[in-house]
Amino acid sequence: MSSLLQDVRYGLRMLRKNPGFALAAIITLALGIGGNTAVFTVTSAMLLKPLPYENPQELVALDVRQKDGQSGCCTLGWSDLVRERNKSFSSTAVAALDNLNLTGRGEPAQVAIGRVSPEFFELLGVKPKLGRSFLAEEGRPEGKPVAMITDSLWHSRFGGDTNVAGQTLTLDTTPYTIIGVLPPDVQFPFVGPAEVWIPRYFEYSLFTPQRLRMGVGYLSMYGRLRQGVSRRQALAELSVLHEQYRKENPTAPDADPNRYAAIDNLQDSLVANVRTRLIVLTCAVVLVLAIACANVASLLLSRAVARRKEIAVRAALGAPRTAIVNQLITESVMLALIAGAIGLGLSWAATRALTTWGANSLPQGIPVSIDGRVLLFTIFVSIFTGIIFGLFPALQLAGTNVNETLRDESRGASGGPARVRLRGMLVVFQVGLCVLLLIGAGLLIRSFERLLRVDPGLDAHNVITMNVNLPSVKYSKPEQQTMFFDDLLRRVSTLPGVRGAAISAALPLSWKRITPILPEGQPEVPLAQRPFIDIEAISPAWFKTLRVPLKLGREFTDADNAQAPKVVIINETLARRYWPNQNPVGRHLIMGRGPAASEIVGVAADVKNRGVALDPQPQLYFPFAQIPWGNMNLIVRTANDPHGMVASLRAQVEAIDPDQPINAVQTVDELMDASRAQPRSFTLLIGGFAALTLVLAIVGIYGVLAYSVAQRRQELGIRLALGADRDDIVRLVVRQGVRLALAGVGIGLVLAIVAALVMKATLAGVLFKTDVSDLATFFVVPLGLLLIAAVASYLPARRTTNVSPTEALR
């Protein structure tokens, strides 16, 4: 221990004597360690840290999936059968996220509602902060309406009143008795950001009770495995129960033989969409740290020249080689620990940036913070990197020839060709890793650039949207819903600056409902075996407001009301699927369970209905007046900035119903930006890391050549004295830098090709219409890096022209 303390004290003195070297090394390492710590903080929270519930390893998510692996939603009948007959789970619960209007306490607002079965909180082991949890009888249709509220709603609407239990809040005109307040530090990201929780899971504002009983999928199901029951055993039982449900409900939509039951660990199901991106980010920051270590090792090799005589004197005085190596490694680890402390501060800021910029990429509700696990990781990475970048220079110095070094006064100061070769190898290593990361960033940039050029199929400029969710009790009849929205559209259309107004159930670029269809000319099959497609309720002016071209037929009119024959407009994808090279206008299809067929009156151009990154799916539109809904989106095209119309639009809603709030006010441009948010944030992060590695690689090339020029000063002076042209000297030095860069580029290309082959399937889901072996990227990145390396080599090369032959010879 005393020897270690002595090494530490001596190391601190050496760092104080070389502040420039210490600062450069610490900053370089801090960037690498900080990036690794930030990504590990997010990865730890998402993938490694258990969910904050009781025995989280026992929690699973139950699902019904298509044969293609696409996840679905559970129906009321399926979930009830599984909950009643299973033997594998000690407890099960269902949940759904809904939206209801909160009135009577401050300004009317739409709030997110968690509809859960009474066992939900008991299943997770979550106890309320105040009050009690739900009772079994409260989860029945005849049960008294009760609610639990979040800590934030308790403070914002009830002022943190400790006597809140027993008070009421009104949701969609129905009073609910508050029975408890949830703790502030527990969230439920697998359900959603609900502010109020109610046990009426058998209701849903978007569907009538009859449609829910008919088999609409809207629930998510969760279970806790019994002690001693594996997931595989539970899945076997669930598959049997799924077959029983299909036989007992042969006409139900979810009795489709192409569907199967599945069970996943709850945490795995929650982070499935971000796992690949986090792994790629982790690889990127590891590359950054490796390049930083190579840079610092190169700095240590440069500094080794100045310390050769010091080390030789210590060896001559009897210091063993192991003691010298320990001393030098201690200095390196001290550098890394100081850099780690600074990197920890940088990682705090980087973590906030990751969770802010990547908010749409990460599951919401999982706390991301620096904890003990992250601190241990930072310490480990710091010590490990200190040993790695310090080991080779330490071995080089410890192997110094004592006699030659003490006898040498000049030429030996160069450090010998071995050290020059090692520094060159470090540069090649840096450039190789830099090429690998730059190619990855280049692929993402090309992917995002193509995503930006995607035509959504509509004109998003100067269009604003807002959600209007009518209370199902107050507007229970279809004609009431139709009257409200007809009145709203009439009022909005007359406002100054409005160029068009319409309503739709789903927002542009998204979908909300699917239904089975039976197109004319197709074999008649049971309901469960019919294809499900996206359906959209719209008002007649929807196509004109969003400027979606109509390819064939006509648009809807006010005459297409509840009394008129059923009509639909289909998109081009649906037309191509069932009537290729034919005119489908005038043909019919059966939508849902209804025996009556709807006539196709038009074919609309394809619109990106599942986001800008996905191909359009088959879709049909029907007039809102023929199948009304209470939850619709108002879409308004304006002459000027649409945000300036929000107050006027809100006033029109309040003029019809003062208690009716509006929600989710945003422009279609903002919707498109949100649709691209995940690839944009991922591209920015990888691009930032790639830019950092490029800077470090350039610094490495410059440093090696500057060092080489300094060591070859006498040789270059002799060349000039003997008549060598200064341009020849410049070319000589530049050639050396480009040669190092070429070697690194070659290694980097090999690594990139191997990585592309290994990760082709993984990256295919990350890249948009860009192959991992994109030739343009594999050509442009190496060429650009070589040009940059040439420029970085030119600066020290120019310094050689200032060498005075007389001074060099003297």
Side-chain angles (χ1 to χ4, degrees):
M1 179 60 71
S2 61
S3 176
L4 177 62
L5 291 176
Q6 182 179 353
D7 288 343
V8 169
R9 285 194 298 268
Y10 184 77
L12 288 173
R13 287 200 303 270
M14 294 302 298
L15 293 180
R16 282 198 299 269
K17 287 176 61 177
N18 298 273
F21 159 78
L23 185 62
I26 288 171
I27 291 175
T28 302
L29 288 174
L31 291 172
I33 294 173
N36 275 265
T37 302
V39 172
F40 178 79
T41 302
V42 178
T43 303
S44 172
M46 298 293 162
L47 305 183
L48 304 179
K49 189 184 298 182
L51 294 174
Y53 311 119
E54 182 180 326
N55 298 324
Q57 72 279 0
E58 298 174 354
L59 296 174
V60 293
L62 287 65
D63 198 5
V64 179
R65 293 178 184 162
Q66 302 281 1
K67 283 291 174 66
D68 59 5
Q70 185 176 356
S71 181
C73 292
C74 305
T75 61
L76 194 60
W78 187 89
S79 61
D80 283 346
L81 182 144
V82 172
R83 292 170 66 208
E84 292 167 4
R85 300 185 188 179
N86 86 84
K87 306 295 182 186
S88 299
F89 305 101
S90 59
S91 180
T92 58
V94 294
L97 190 66
D98 201 357
N99 291 287
L100 298 177
N101 294 335
L102 173 62
T103 56
R105 289 187 175 272
E107 183 179 343
Q110 187 179 108
V111 294
I113 305 294
R115 293 185 180 272
V116 296
S117 55
E119 313 86 1
F120 179 78
F121 295 110
E122 181 183 350
L123 167 76
L124 301 173
V126 174
K127 301 185 184 302
K129 174 181 178 179
L130 294 174
R132 62 172 177 84
S133 193
F134 299 126
L135 303 177
E137 56 267 24
E138 293 168 343
R140 303 189 183 106
E142 67 274 10
K144 180 181 177 182
V146 295
M148 296 179 69
I149 61 175
T150 61
D151 181 79
S152 60
L153 188 69
W154 176 50
H155 282 93
S156 63
R157 293 275 177 167
F158 296 89
D161 184 3
T162 55
N163 297 317
V164 69
Q167 298 186 40
T168 61
L169 75 166
T170 302
L171 301 172
D172 276 12
T173 71
T174 300
Y176 284 75
T177 303
I178 299 172
I179 61 169
V181 178
L182 290 168
D185 55 343
V186 178
Q187 299 186 56
F188 310 92
F190 44 90
V191 178
E195 296 185 84
V196 180
W197 299 80
I198 60 178
R200 304 187 73 80
Y201 67 94
F202 43 81
E203 298 174 350
Y204 201 61
S205 64
L206 296 180
F207 305 109
T208 63
Q210 180 185 8
R211 292 200 64 194
L212 294 178
R213 290 193 297 272
M214 287 164 55
V216 174
Y218 72 105
L219 291 168
S220 298
M221 190 170 184
Y222 310 99
R224 182 178 291 277
L225 293 170
R226 289 188 186 278
Q227 198 166 20
V229 177
S230 68
R231 242 182 19 226
R232 179 175 296 180
Q233 293 170 320
L235 178 59
E237 185 195 29
L238 188 64
S239 299
V240 172
L241 294 176
H242 183 64
E243 276 303 309
Q244 292 178 11
Y245 175 78
R246 285 182 51 210
K247 291 178 181 177
E248 295 173 13
N249 303 272
T251 62
D254 55 341
D256 185 348
N258 291 320
R259 297 190 175 200
Y260 65 96
I263 296 178
D264 294 307
N265 175 273
L266 181 57
Q267 184 163 11
D268 289 344
S269 67
L270 187 60
V271 301
N273 292 331
V274 301
R275 187 185 302 275
T276 299
R277 287 177 168 81
L278 287 177
I279 291 173
V280 173
L281 276 179
T282 300
C283 293
V285 294
V286 167
L287 292 180
V288 172
L289 183 59
I291 293 174
C293 287
N295 244 342
V296 176
S298 184
L299 285 173
L300 285 174
L301 283 171
S302 300
R303 185 165 170 255
V305 175
R307 299 190 65 181
R308 288 177 70 246
K309 293 206 171 182
E310 168 210 337
I311 299 300
V313 169
R314 296 182 64 186
L317 294 176
R321 185 178 183 187
T322 54
I324 294 173
V325 171
N326 288 340
Q327 170 63 53
L328 296 173
I329 291 293
T330 300
E331 293 179 22
S332 302
V333 170
M334 287 172 56
L335 269 177
L337 287 174
I338 296 171
I342 297 173
L344 192 63
L346 294 176
S347 73
W348 176 83
T351 301
R352 296 196 64 178
L354 279 171
T355 53
T356 300
W357 296 343
N360 293 322
S361 307
L362 301 174
Q364 298 303 293
I366 298 180
V368 178
S369 60
I370 295 177
D371 55 14
R373 188 196 303 254
V374 174
L375 291 175
L376 288 175
F377 172 83
T378 306
I379 294 171
F380 170 78
V381 168
S382 301
I383 294 174
F384 180 76
T385 55
I387 294 173
I388 290 297
F389 73 74
L391 185 61
F392 291 110
L395 292 176
Q396 284 272 327
L397 272 177
T400 298
N401 186 303
V402 177
N403 292 328
E404 286 186 6
T405 303
L406 292 179
R407 187 171 56 248
D408 197 5
E409 288 292 337
S410 58
R411 288 175 295 176
S414 67
R419 187 169 293 118
V420 174
R421 284 195 300 270
L422 182 57
R423 285 173 58 86
M425 289 170 56
L426 289 173
V427 170
V428 170
F429 172 75
Q430 291 180 72
V431 173
L433 295 185
C434 183
V435 168
L436 176 60
L437 194 50
L438 282 173
I439 285 177
L443 290 172
L444 287 171
I445 291 170
R446 280 181 63 79
S447 168
F448 187 65
E449 183 263 337
R450 289 175 177 173
L451 191 61
L452 289 175
R453 294 205 311 262
V454 168
D455 180 9
L458 51 83
D459 183 359
H461 186 59
N462 277 0
V463 180
I464 195 161
T465 70
M466 56 187 63
N467 181 259
V468 180
N469 187 14
L470 300 179
S472 56
V473 176
K474 190 174 183 179
Y475 296 89
S476 58
K477 298 179 180 179
E479 53 268 26
Q480 292 176 308
Q481 299 168 358
T482 304
M483 188 180 301
F484 178 94
F485 285 109
D486 283 348
D487 191 9
L488 179 60
L489 287 175
R490 279 194 298 270
R491 291 171 176 270
V492 170
S493 299
T494 60
L495 291 175
V498 170
R499 294 292 180 265
I503 56 170
S504 64
L507 289 167
L509 309 175
S510 63
W511 63 283
K512 183 169 284 187
R513 290 191 288 182
I514 59 174
T515 194
I517 65 166
L518 181 62
E520 181 182 316
Q522 298 297 310
E524 188 159 344
V525 294
L527 184 68
Q529 298 179 27
R530 296 176 185 176
F532 280 75
I533 67 161
D534 296 350
I535 61 172
E536 179 66 288
I538 61 173
S539 63
W542 188 86
F543 293 103
K544 287 183 178 178
T545 301
L546 288 175
R547 297 176 181 169
V548 177
L550 204 66
K551 299 297 185 178
L552 295 171
R554 67 171 179 87
E555 298 180 353
F556 297 136
T557 67
D558 292 335
D560 297 316
N561 53 34
Q563 291 74 41
K566 303 295 184 185
V567 293
V568 296
I569 293 175
I570 63 175
N571 70 348
E572 291 179 290
T573 300
L574 182 58
R576 284 192 298 268
R577 175 172 294 187
Y578 295 108
W579 298 282
N581 303 317
Q582 301 177 51
N583 185 353
V585 175
R587 294 181 180 266
H588 296 77
L589 56 78
I590 296 175
M591 185 171 61
R593 291 176 177 269
S598 301
E599 181 184 355
I600 299 172
V601 297
V603 178
D606 282 336
V607 173
K608 293 284 188 176
N609 50 5
R610 292 292 180 101
V612 293
L614 299 177
D615 292 331
Q617 298 300 304
Q619 183 173 27
L620 65 81
Y621 305 88
F622 61 87
F624 164 77
Q626 294 191 344
I627 310 178
W629 251 23
N631 190 330
M632 300 294 288
N633 295 287
L634 177 64
I635 302 172
V636 180
R637 179 175 294 279
T638 64
N640 300 305
D641 180 16
H643 287 289
M645 294 292 299
V646 173
S648 299
L649 297 174
R650 189 190 304 271
Q652 303 311 309
V653 175
E654 293 177 350
I656 303 172
D657 186 346
D659 290 332
Q660 178 60 48
I662 62 173
N663 191 49
V665 179
Q666 54 195 325
T667 65
V668 179
D669 281 326
E670 290 167 349
L671 286 172
M672 291 185 64
D673 285 343
S675 185
R676 301 185 185 111
Q678 191 175 59
R680 179 175 57 243
S681 59
F682 189 60
T683 302
L684 286 173
L685 288 171
I686 295 295
F689 291 135
L692 180 58
T693 62
L694 180 60
V695 171
L696 292 175
I698 292 171
V699 169
I701 293 173
Y702 177 84
V704 163
L705 294 180
Y707 172 80
S708 175
V709 168
Q711 299 307 312
R712 299 175 64 184
R713 185 167 175 270
Q714 188 177 43
E715 171 208 334
L716 296 175
I718 294 173
R719 286 174 179 267
L720 289 171
L722 294 176
D725 188 76
R726 293 183 183 272
D727 289 339
D728 291 336
I729 299 296
V730 170
R731 281 193 290 270
L732 177 69
V733 177
V734 170
R735 193 181 302 120
Q736 181 186 358
V738 173
R739 192 161 48 241
L740 291 175
L742 268 174
V745 165
I747 293 173
L749 282 173
V750 172
L751 292 175
I753 292 170
V754 172
L757 293 174
V758 172
M759 302 183 67
K760 188 167 186 177
T762 306
L763 286 178
V766 176
L767 301 176
F768 174 72
K769 294 186 178 179
T770 303
D771 191 76
V772 291
S773 56
D774 182 71
L775 291 178
T777 304
F778 275 74
F779 175 76
V780 170
V781 167
L783 181 61
L785 191 56
L786 287 175
L787 291 175
I788 293 172
V791 174
S793 306
Y794 180 76
L795 296 177
R798 288 297 301 173
R799 290 177 56 191
T800 63
T801 62
N802 298 324
V803 174
S804 169
T806 304
E807 183 181 345
L809 291 174
R810 186 170 60 249

